[in-house]
Amino acid sequence: MGWLAAIIVGGLAGWLAEKFMKSNMGLLMNIILGIIGAIVFNFIFGSLLGLYAAGASFSIGYLVAGFIGACILIFVVRAVRGRA
């Protein structure tokens, strides 16, 4: 996926995760969460279950992977903050 497409899809996935998890973050954090979320999803689910988000350009697979991964990251951050 190209950088521009990754930023757009990452931002959209991060924004969707932000709304779903009811967190309050800015645009830059949404983009970062979406991109890193897709990486986390592909690493965890690819290693364990053999599921990968495939596609060469904008794809629903990357959007779903980014959304799920971003939700996982928001959950982990909340868990760590709650213990601190």
Side-chain angles (χ1 to χ4, degrees):
M1 178 181 290
W3 284 103
L4 183 59
I7 291 170
I8 292 169
V9 172
L12 185 57
W15 179 77
L16 289 171
E18 174 188 47
K19 297 302 178 192
F20 181 76
M21 298 292 289
K22 294 180 175 65
S23 62
N24 188 15
M25 301 179 188
L27 177 63
L28 182 60
M29 187 56 78
N30 286 342
I31 293 170
I32 292 169
L33 273 176
I35 292 171
I36 294 176
I39 293 168
V40 166
F41 177 89
N42 280 323
F43 177 75
I44 292 173
F45 291 97
S47 299
L48 298 176
L49 303 173
L51 299 174
Y52 294 95
S57 61
F58 177 83
S59 92
I60 285 293
Y62 281 113
L63 182 62
V64 170
F67 170 74
I68 293 171
C71 287
I72 291 169
L73 289 175
I74 291 171
F75 177 78
V76 168
V77 167
R78 284 182 178 171
V80 169
R81 282 187 182 171
R83 294 182 186 180

